[in-house]
Amino acid sequence: MSEWPQGWSGDGSGRYGRGSGSAEPEGARAMPQVRRGAPGAGAPPPYDEPPLPPDLSPQGTVPRQQASQGYDDYDDGYNTGQVYGGGNGPGGPGGPGPRPVRPKNWKRRITIGLVTLIVLLLAVGIGTYLWADSKLRNEVDLSKVEDRPGGGKGTNYLIVGSDSREGMSDEDKKKLHTGSADGRRTDSMILLHVGENGNTMVSLPRDSWVTIPAFTGSESGRRIPQSQNKLNASFSSEGPGLLVRTIEYNTGLKIDHYAEIGFDGFANLVDGVGGVDIDIPQDMKDKKSGNDLKKGKQTLNGQQALAFVRQRYGLAGGDLDRTKNQQKFLSALANKAASPSTIMNPFKLYPTMGAGLDNLVVDKDMSLWDVKDMFFAMKSVSGGEGKQMNMPISNPGLATSKGSAVQWDMAKVKQLVGELKNDEKVTVSSN
């Protein structure tokens, strides 16, 4: 009788165990390791391969007929990573494998963040521009000025500080010592030239004795004959149009842009930037302007600043000293208004722009960019990158039919105008 179990061949293809001919319990059977060999009698040689896992036994998931095939034809599932049998849990038998770890795309996230920031800044910038543009008062039409001279290189701004009390209450007038005079006059007139060879601020004394040319009033329509008078009279008579016409007639220099601010607007602008730091050269006290300041460095609020730039009595040089103080303060104001601490701080920027633009009267062709250029030009002068001067004077106490006036030195004026027209470095002195 054969020692092999029934149904198994003697070539060792169905033997249980490892080198033993005895039968094993059914529950302990392992999938036989089968390899192809030459047929022969007797027990096959011992196997070197380790036993397969119990779950791949003939009672498991592998059919018996598959187990009887040759070793080369058998796929145990390990080649492809397939696992047979049950089990729960990631990576375990029958469960899903671990999810692949994908590296975080930081470059894409940074790009999206930057694009979002740029879009936000553009939206805020455009909104601010539209808001500010709606506040700009383009009320002066320079195209109606008659017989204008030819333009030169660079840009010329006429900056006027008027004593207009428009919109001021009686309490405001009393607080700021403005009085209650009707109409408006100029308290300061500054010619600002912006060019490639440095910016120049030239103050025009309000009492300058000039020729007021014939002019047709843009609002009144009346014809004004030519006359000799103080420069301030041209503004009092027909406002910005005749003032520009008079300056152009007496200098031959074309005014490109006009900007005017009244008492209340000036004070609000100073308060809007949080006050302006300035060095007071001497103790100053004046009942008419309300000025009462001690010598030394200090921060002036709107009320103090207005009194400082208006004082003309009690100064050694009278109106000429006042024009110097006005230039000094306007440069300091522009330096503060155009500083990063104001521009980058919305809590300062918007009150400053609101206070300034609400009260700033400009010509019809002047844009916000021109206003910006004007402020930055004044800032550069305060930083030493330009020149501050009065119109050259030959006689500060000229006797006239209208009282004491200031007479220009016309030879020096001609030289100064020539340098400004050609955008050359200014070499002319005030005296």
Side-chain angles (χ1 to χ4, degrees):
M1 178 187 298
S2 170
E3 297 179 358
W4 299 99
Q6 183 178 0
W8 288 77
S9 63
D11 60 0
S13 61
R15 183 182 178 187
Y16 289 117
R18 299 180 61 189
S20 173
S22 62
E24 295 183 9
E26 190 71 12
R29 293 177 182 175
M31 177 63 65
Q33 300 294 328
V34 183
R35 68 181 176 184
R36 188 167 298 171
Y47 285 95
D48 296 329
E49 292 83 3
L52 293 175
D55 60 343
L56 296 182
S57 64
Q59 295 179 344
T61 60
V62 181
R64 182 179 298 274
Q65 61 269 24
Q66 181 177 344
S68 65
Q69 296 176 0
Y71 182 83
D72 294 339
D73 297 329
Y74 172 67
D75 183 1
D76 60 6
Y78 291 120
N79 305 6
T80 61
Q82 180 181 359
V83 178
Y84 292 88
N88 300 315
R99 294 182 179 180
V101 179
R102 297 180 179 177
K104 295 181 179 179
N105 195 338
W106 291 109
K107 184 176 180 180
R108 181 170 178 270
R109 293 186 179 185
I110 292 174
T111 301
I112 293 175
L114 288 176
V115 170
T116 302
L117 178 61
I118 292 172
V119 171
L120 179 62
L121 291 176
L122 284 175
V124 172
I126 293 173
T128 299
Y129 182 89
L130 294 176
W131 167 78
D133 187 62
S134 67
K135 287 182 168 292
L136 198 59
R137 298 173 60 181
N138 297 94
E139 299 176 4
V140 179
D141 190 355
L142 295 181
S143 68
K144 294 183 178 181
V145 178
E146 303 166 339
D147 300 326
R148 309 197 68 188
K153 299 178 181 179
T155 305
N156 299 314
Y157 296 84
L158 179 61
I159 304 170
V160 175
S162 76
D163 65 357
S164 172
R165 297 156 179 84
E166 179 184 355
M168 295 178 64
S169 65
D170 291 339
E171 183 179 351
D172 291 334
K173 294 175 183 177
K174 183 178 181 180
K175 176 183 176 182
L176 297 176
H177 297 269
T178 65
S180 300
D182 294 329
R184 57 180 181 174
R185 284 152 295 278
T186 56
D187 256 31
S188 64
M189 290 169 282
I190 296 176
L191 180 63
L192 172 65
H193 175 79
V194 180
E196 296 181 357
N197 290 300
N199 305 318
T200 305
M201 294 178 70
V202 183
S203 285
L204 309 175
R206 56 182 284 176
D207 289 339
S208 298
W209 190 251
V210 295
T211 298
I212 298 180
F215 184 77
T216 302
S218 58
E219 295 182 3
S220 65
R222 65 190 179 98
R223 184 67 177 175
I224 301 173
Q226 180 173 303
S227 64
Q228 293 291 121
N229 210 327
K230 295 179 180 179
L231 181 59
N232 190 39
S234 63
F235 184 81
S236 302
S237 174
E238 286 293 333
L242 183 53
L243 175 62
V244 171
R245 165 83 168 121
T246 302
I247 293 174
E248 290 185 341
Y249 181 87
N250 286 270
T251 63
L253 190 67
K254 184 179 181 180
I255 304 301
D256 298 300
H257 291 296
Y258 176 91
E260 175 193 336
I261 191 166
F263 282 161
D264 192 41
F266 180 82
N268 289 338
L269 180 57
V270 173
D271 287 336
V273 298
V276 175
D277 299 329
I278 195 166
D279 188 3
I280 306 298
Q282 63 186 41
D283 289 351
M284 302 178 67
K285 190 165 185 176
D286 178 41
K287 184 177 180 180
K288 289 190 175 182
S289 66
N291 193 22
D292 188 5
L293 299 172
K294 297 298 181 182
K295 178 181 178 180
K297 295 181 179 180
Q298 51 199 289
T299 301
L300 304 187
N301 60 27
Q303 179 182 348
Q304 294 171 321
L306 183 60
F308 173 71
V309 299
R310 291 186 61 219
Q311 180 175 346
R312 63 184 302 189
Y313 300 102
L315 302 178
D319 198 38
L320 296 180
D321 279 354
R322 179 171 75 157
T323 58
K324 294 177 182 178
N325 288 339
Q326 290 170 348
Q327 285 191 9
K328 181 179 181 179
F329 188 84
L330 282 178
S331 296
L333 172 60
N335 187 63
K336 184 69 175 290
S339 66
S341 62
T342 299
I343 295 175
M344 302 302 292
N345 184 350
F347 297 103
K348 281 189 177 181
L349 176 62
Y350 287 97
T352 299
M353 293 181 67
L357 297 176
D358 278 342
N359 299 278
L360 188 65
V361 177
V362 298
D363 65 89
K364 292 185 178 297
D365 294 327
M366 193 166 180
S367 67
L368 284 174
W369 294 110
D370 295 318
V371 174
K372 181 264 297 179
D373 289 343
M374 181 182 72
F375 268 91
F376 274 90
M378 288 192 291
K379 177 183 178 180
S380 72
V381 172
S382 69
E385 299 178 7
K387 185 170 184 175
Q388 293 175 297
M389 61 182 293
N390 276 320
M391 185 64 80
I393 303 299
S394 61
N395 186 357
L398 178 68
T400 72
S401 58
K402 303 295 183 179
S404 179
V406 175
Q407 186 176 30
W408 293 355
D409 186 333
M410 294 310 298
K412 288 186 175 181
V413 169
K414 184 177 180 180
Q415 181 183 349
L416 172 63
V417 170
E419 291 174 342
L420 294 178
K421 267 193 170 184
N422 296 320
D423 195 22
E424 299 172 349
K425 187 175 179 62
V426 173
T427 61
V428 182
S429 62
S430 298
N431 299 322

